[in-house]
Every structure is written in C-alpha cells, then in structure tokens.
Amino acid sequence: MQTQQAPDFTRLAIPVAIIFFSWGLGTGALWVARPLFALALGGTLLQVGFVSALSATPRPIFGPITGVLCDRWGRRPMLVLAAIGHGGVLVAQFYSTSYLQFVLLEGLAGISIALWTISSSVLIADITKIASRGRAVAFRDTAMRMGMLAGPLVGGFIAAQFELRWVFIFIASTKVVALYVVLVIIPETRPARAGHEPAGRSGAVRTASRGIPWGMFRSRSFVAIAAATLCFGMVGLGPGLFRTYFPVHAQETLMLGPDVIGNLVAVGAVLTLLTAAPTGFAVDRFGRKWPLVFGLVLLGASVYLLGVSAAFIGVAMAFAVFAVAEGMNSNTMQTYAMDLAPPEQRGVFLSAFHVATSVGMIVGPLIAGLLAGLLGLETTLVIFTGVVGGCALLFVVLARETLRREPDSVAARTGSSS
C-alpha cells in the first residue's frame, strides 16, 4: 500500500484507456451474445429478459460490500478479483448446455460486474485531481464507449464465422487484457490509513476508528446527487425507461421497423460518445453543478418529446436529445460524486452513489410499466418529465459547487462536510 501522493492521471492515461476499452469491448459483444445464447438454449422471450435483468440485480447488494473492501484491502485486489471472476464465468458459460446453467452463471457474472464497477470508479477518483477530474472521467468514458461500439461488431462477426458460444471466449480474453494491465502497470492507490489519531487533552493516544462515517451521507450535496442519479438511472441508463419504451413507442405510433429503430439507436450512441469530451472540459472550466442541471433538463426534454411526438422527426429529435443528455449526465454525475467522496472512504461513498443508480435502473421500467398500463404510455412519459424536472430543481436548491474549493489536500479532508 503506497503512502505517497497518488500518481498523476497523465502517467496512467494509456493503461486506463486500455483497461476500459477492453472492458467496454467485452460488454458490447455481450449485448449480442447474451440474449441470443439464452434463446438458443431454449429460453422464452420472457426468460431472455430475465437473464438481462439478473445481471444487474446483484449490484445494489454487492456494490456496498465492494466499497467497504476497496477501503480496507485496496483497489487492485478488487479489480483483479472482478476480472478473474468475470472471465471464469464467461468460460463456464461457453460450456453451458442448458438455460438453467446459463442463468445461474449470469447471476455470478453480475457479482463480478458489481466488483468492477465500484473498484474502477474508486481508482479513477484516486488518480485524478479536482481541477482536471471532469476531463479524466470523459477520457475514461470515451475509451469505454468506443469499446462498446466496436463490441457488437466483433461479437457479430465471431458468431457468424464460428459458433455463437465462441463469443464468450472472446469476451473472456478482454478480461485477460484488463487483468494484465492492472497487475503489471496500475499501482495500489488506496490512501494510507493513519494508525492513530492525535492525543487528546488527557495525553492518551486514541486508535483511529475503522467504522463508516455515516455523516457523509447526511450532507445536502449527497442527498442532491443521490436523487439526481436515482432519476438518471430510472430514465436514462441501461434498461431505463427511455431505452425500454422508445422502441415500443416508435413501432406502435409510427410503425417504424426494427432496422430504422436500430439505426436511430446507433446514431444516438455516436452522439453520446461525441458528447463526453466537451462535457469533461466544460465541467472543469465552469463547474459541475450547472452542467449537471442542464443535463437533467435535456433528459426531461427528451422524455417529453418522446411522449408528445407523433411524427418521425419528433421521435428522432427525442433520441438525439436523449443521447446528448446521457453523455452529459454520465460524466458530470460521476465527477461530482468523486469530488464529494472522502479519500479514506471513497469505496463506501461511491458504492452508495452506484447503488442509487442501480436501484433506479431496476425500479424505473417497473414503475413506468405499471403507470403505462393504467394511464397510457404518453401520459406516463409526461409524468416522468415532471419527475426529472423535480430532481433538477432539487439539485439547484441543495447541491453546492465542488470545483471552486480549497486546494486538493484540504478539500480531501472536507469532502463530505457540506
């Protein structure tokens, strides 16, 4: 465990890009392989959806556990465990011969993904400084999204040239690349724990507490970012409301075919990728708060446009606005949470941030489906527009700006004191 100042991000930029590009490449290929392989093993359409949902279910449970272990054992052990665990599960899935085997292994994969998500976020927070953190997070996101764009192409090619199950071997190989870089290049970045606190008035030396300082979760800023990321998870991430119901609305209202819908999604992915870098520069120059608010406003606008649009141009514009909002919110929310996280409790703090995201991804589509059944999809989308607007207003009222703060050494000690 190193005791000196964390290494500068610029010296680790290339290794970080390799790690996240490799992980994103595997994720993109998995988007192709997971549903098709579940179907090939005899799963119904409902069971295919269950497999996708199952991969996200362990995150609210194992995310906080990972955060605690990151703070106690270090970041590298958790990254190594995540890469080995997910790679091993993928190899086992290659040998799966039944749907039950595959779905049980997918649950184990979800645990490894939770380990990776938290520990990699803590690593980025460790090796970045507040003044340039937005650009560093944008660089990380760009590398990963490039991999996620290339992954489906590579996965589709392998599935076409060989058997579908060989895609899992390819995905496992991307974990080997990430594992090698972590073991050989990435240093341990966990701040050294002080063994004792200064002596009190009595002269006795008190042992430093290893407990979780729950007060950092009672700050107004944490409440604001937790609400914002919960809202973003419900609407804009993974299987959130927008991605779940955009194809349904486009097909039922406009009679668009799967090819047109797929092309809109692909264009949106490119727009999200192109948004990451400018957003990173913006949050380092103008601060985190107002770009984040603007991103939430765009997110709400995209949901509203989708709900009221009855023509192709409106639906296309809705997805374009959504893509830009996704790129902005992903960057600014992570950067803001990293700014707030106290160095010695970064794992615990950032795991709580990711739990809010995961819970939103789980409950968002469920609540939307319930409301759509009662009130109709268009009315449901308008309601969620109001929810996003309320989260934006809450952030304006409660959140403080984290860019213009004391120097890093002081800010690190006061990250949760607002």
Side-chain angles (χ1 to χ4, degrees), residues 19-20 23 79 82-83 111-121 178 182:
I19 290 173
F20 283 96
W23 200 273
L79 290 168
I111 296 174
S112 298
I113 293 172
L115 295 178
W116 175 267
T117 301
I118 302 301
S119 54
S120 62
S121 295
V182 170

Side-chain angles (χ1 to χ4, degrees), residues 47-121:
Q47 289 173 323
V48 169
F50 176 73
V51 170
S52 296
L54 185 63
S55 66
T57 302
R59 299 182 193 182
I61 301 172
F62 287 91
I65 296 174
T66 302
V68 172
L69 295 179
C70 275
D71 290 338
R72 292 186 179 179
W73 295 352
R75 302 10 173 167
R76 291 178 76 239
M78 306 313 295
L79 290 168
V80 168
L81 186 60
I84 292 177
H86 198 196
V89 168
L90 289 162
V91 172
Q93 287 179 320
F94 170 81
Y95 291 103
S96 296
T97 57
S98 69
Y99 173 83
L100 180 60
Q101 292 176 350
F102 183 69
V103 75
L104 291 176
L105 289 169
E106 194 61 35
L108 294 177
I111 296 174
S112 298
I113 293 172
L115 295 178
W116 175 267
T117 301
I118 302 301
S119 54
S120 62
S121 295

Side-chain angles (χ1 to χ4, degrees), residues 27-347:
T27 299
L30 190 59
W31 288 347
V32 174
R34 181 196 287 136
L36 295 178
F37 196 62
L39 200 63
L41 291 174
T44 64
L45 291 178
L46 176 61
Q47 289 173 323
V48 169
F50 176 73
V51 170
S52 296
L54 185 63
S55 66
T57 302
R59 299 182 193 182
I61 301 172
F62 287 91
I65 296 174
T66 302
V68 172
L69 295 179
C70 275
D71 290 338
R72 292 186 179 179
W73 295 352
R75 302 10 173 167
R76 291 178 76 239
M78 306 313 295
L79 290 168
V80 168
L81 186 60
I84 292 177
H86 198 196
V89 168
L90 289 162
V91 172
Q93 287 179 320
F94 170 81
Y95 291 103
S96 296
T97 57
S98 69
Y99 173 83
L100 180 60
Q101 292 176 350
F102 183 69
V103 75
L104 291 176
L105 289 169
E106 194 61 35
L108 294 177
I111 296 174
S112 298
I113 293 172
L115 295 178
W116 175 267
T117 301
I118 302 301
S119 54
S120 62
S121 295
V122 177
L123 172 70
I124 297 299
D126 285 345
I127 63 177
T128 55
K129 297 180 180 180
I130 290 177
S132 58
R133 182 166 287 151
R135 284 165 285 177
V137 172
F139 179 80
R140 187 274 308 270
D141 286 353
T142 299
M144 188 163 182
R145 291 186 184 279
M146 289 179 66
M148 291 165 67
L149 283 174
L153 299 178
V154 178
F157 174 80
I158 293 174
Q161 298 298 318
F162 307 97
E163 192 177 351
L164 178 61
R165 65 177 65 243
W166 282 99
V167 179
F168 293 98
I169 298 299
F170 164 72
I171 302 170
S173 71
T174 65
K175 312 310 173 190
V176 174
V177 174
L179 178 63
Y180 175 82
V181 175
V182 170
L183 288 174
V184 175
I185 302 176
I186 301 297
E188 177 54 62
T189 60
R190 177 168 70 98
R193 286 182 178 274
H196 298 85
E197 293 180 346
R201 291 183 179 180
S202 64
V205 177
R206 301 189 302 264
T207 301
S209 173
R210 288 178 175 269
I212 298 174
W214 297 104
M216 64 184 176
F217 299 124
R218 293 195 293 267
S219 71
R220 290 159 51 114
S221 293
F222 176 77
V223 172
I225 190 61
T229 192
L230 176 68
C231 182
F232 183 42
M234 292 173 65
V235 176
L237 283 177
L241 176 149
F242 195 97
R243 280 196 177 88
T244 299
Y245 292 102
F246 167 77
V248 176
H249 183 70
Q251 179 174 281
E252 293 187 352
T253 302
L254 303 178
M255 305 301 175
L256 298 180
D259 54 338
V260 178
I261 295 173
N263 289 336
L264 287 174
V265 173
V267 172
V270 174
L271 285 176
T272 301
L273 174 67
L274 296 177
T275 303
T279 301
F281 281 95
V283 299
D284 282 344
R285 181 175 179 83
F286 303 111
R288 298 26 166 150
K289 182 174 181 176
W290 293 109
L292 196 153
V293 172
F294 183 61
L296 286 173
V297 170
L298 287 180
L299 183 66
S302 70
V303 177
Y304 178 78
L305 285 173
L306 182 63
V308 301
S309 296
F312 174 80
I313 186 64
V315 172
M317 184 177 297
F319 204 91
V321 174
F322 169 78
V324 174
E326 182 184 18
M328 290 191 65
N329 287 314
S330 295
N331 185 299
T332 51
M333 288 183 182
Q334 293 180 66
T335 303
Y336 190 86
M338 290 178 184
D339 288 351
L340 289 178
E344 290 191 359
Q345 289 85 33
R346 276 194 177 121

